[in-house]
Amino acid sequence: MKENKNYILPLSILGLMFFSGGFAASVNGILIPILNQSLEVSSAGAYALIAAMFIPFVLFAYPAGQLGYKKTMAFSYAIYAVSFLIFVVSAKQESYLLFLAASFLGGIANTFLQAAINPYITILGPIESAAKRISIIGILNKLAWAISPMFIAAVLGSTLDIKVTQLDVPFYILSGLFLLLGLIALVSPLPEIKATGEDDSNEEESQEVAQYANSKTSILQFPHLVLGSIAIFFYVGVETIALGSIIDYAKTLGLAAAENYSWITPIAMSIGYISGVLLIPKYLSQNTAFKICAIVALIGTICVATLPAHLSIYSIGIMALGCSLMWPAIWPLAMKDLGKFTKTGSSLLTMGLFGGAILTLLFGWFKDLFGAQNAYWLCLPCFIYIAFYAFKGCKLR
């Protein structure tokens, strides 16, 4: 599409949505130690709460990607509001199964939200600077992971020894807030936009992309897209582990005020995002930034798994720093030159978020079997594949 430099308003609206999505997802990370203690659920069972949130990406990614962007955003917030009300019932009845159901419904909401926001911000301007735009609003998304424990603490007075029966008031508040966000999304001035080669533009670049895309009969004929969806699978899994496990890991280590450690990963990722905003694309291409981050993430993973426990928790920040510019880079690299397949390609990438279900379940299982610190070895092969995509896979067109 043509370059549109008036990004302030749409970025502000999308930033609010990215923040709310991160906030909603981070609630499950807070619930892990609560379910462990209050309902005596195993680590694998507690991490299944996060897994339940990611399962819908496989089931609902395609229909979510076919609707108009604004309607999809508004619809997602309505589902979020209902899911928080089910969390209220779960808390009152102390029902682990209802917690899973509420998390699953929240995952459906997240699927629709991600299917609308990510392609929108990617094609909002030039594809070469998409990582910069995603980095800008990604800062808000990751800071939400640290702010949600503070919200729970502010409502309940403390995050220590919380019982599930105390959670009804925070979830009532969240349900009302997300209904309001749905109305904001519906009346927002975000225009419907199309990617290069997706419309009938007579521009030379648009015609070239359309010709390339029209020569294909299936999204599976775009290797960089297919490999990118696998990269998203691994990326979302390891990022969710880094963001969602740190409070639980701090408690496992017996560290005081474990909730305060929730700031380590969002701050580290925000540093990466800010670097992306400042450096991409003027000083650093999004592909080069991607390669650097892949190497940093590999180093961070090895440090987490091998350093003394009281130091390894800070190394999760290194791993998170490596994660920071992966999402902003994978989306534009995987969606480049899709033309008329843009929305379907976005659906395939959204399906990749299912990695958050599989890998968090495996992480909880590994924690039960091998201990909390050794469980982080699971992230190493994931980052190795992501490094392959950064150096080679994204170039296979």
Side-chain angles (χ1 to χ4, degrees), residues 194-203 206-207 210 214:
K194 293 186 178 183
T196 301
E198 190 180 9
D199 55 17
D200 297 324
S201 173
N202 290 322
E203 293 180 25
S206 181
Q207 288 180 328
N214 290 338

Side-chain angles (χ1 to χ4, degrees), residues 30 145-147 149-150 153 157-161 246-248 250-251 255-264:
I30 301 170
W145 283 79
I147 293 175
M150 298 174 62
S158 173
T159 57
L160 297 175
D161 300 320
I246 194 164
I247 296 177
D248 183 46
K251 288 192 173 185
L255 300 174
E259 67 274 9
N260 292 337
Y261 290 88
S262 66
W263 280 98
I264 293 175

Side-chain angles (χ1 to χ4, degrees), residues 45-283:
Y47 278 95
L49 194 70
I50 294 180
M53 182 180 64
F54 285 97
I55 291 174
F57 284 108
V58 169
L59 304 176
F60 296 95
Y62 181 77
Q66 306 309 305
L67 302 177
Y69 294 116
K70 284 174 59 174
K71 291 180 180 179
T72 303
M73 295 173 194
F75 183 58
S76 71
Y77 283 118
I79 302 175
Y80 266 129
V82 175
S83 73
F84 286 130
L85 291 178
I86 296 177
F87 270 123
V88 172
V89 179
S90 309
K92 289 183 176 181
Q93 297 188 8
E94 300 183 67
S95 171
Y96 170 68
L97 291 179
L98 278 177
F99 271 110
L100 289 179
S103 184
F104 181 83
L105 189 60
I108 296 176
N110 198 17
T111 302
F112 277 83
L113 188 63
Q114 295 293 340
I117 291 180
N118 288 294
Y120 193 98
I121 193 67
T122 300
I123 65 177
L124 181 62
I127 197 74
E128 294 78 15
S129 59
K132 179 176 182 176
R133 295 190 296 278
I134 297 175
S135 294
I136 292 173
I137 59 178
I139 295 171
L140 297 173
N141 179 268
K142 295 307 175 285
L143 287 178
W145 283 79
I147 293 175
S148 59
M150 298 174 62
F151 166 77
I152 299 294
V155 175
L156 300 180
S158 173
T159 57
L160 297 175
D161 300 320
I162 295 176
K163 306 296 182 184
V164 293
T165 52
Q166 297 176 267
L167 295 172
D168 55 341
V169 175
F171 285 124
Y172 274 131
I173 295 173
L174 289 175
S175 182
L177 287 175
F178 274 70
L179 272 178
L180 177 61
L181 285 170
L183 291 174
I184 292 174
L186 196 59
V187 301
S188 67
L190 291 174
E192 288 293 330
I193 56 178
K194 293 186 178 183
T196 301
E198 190 180 9
D199 55 17
D200 297 324
S201 173
N202 290 322
E203 293 180 25
E204 182 179 350
E205 180 186 4
S206 181
Q207 288 180 328
E208 289 179 359
V209 172
Q211 184 176 3
Y212 170 72
N214 290 338
S215 68
K216 312 294 183 182
T217 58
S218 167
I219 56 171
L220 299 181
Q221 295 175 340
F222 296 89
H224 67 289
L225 170 66
V226 176
L227 295 174
S229 67
I230 298 173
I232 287 286
F233 177 92
F234 286 123
Y235 162 76
V236 172
V238 291
E239 185 206 48
T240 304
I241 289 171
L243 289 168
S245 69
I246 194 164
I247 296 177
D248 183 46
Y249 187 40
K251 288 192 173 185
T252 301
L253 298 177
L255 300 174
E259 67 274 9
N260 292 337
Y261 290 88
S262 66
W263 280 98
I264 293 175
T265 44
I267 287 178
M269 295 195 75
S270 295
I271 291 172
Y273 280 135
I274 292 171
S275 299
V277 172
L278 296 176
L279 299 177
I280 298 173
K282 186 174 182 180
Y283 302 104

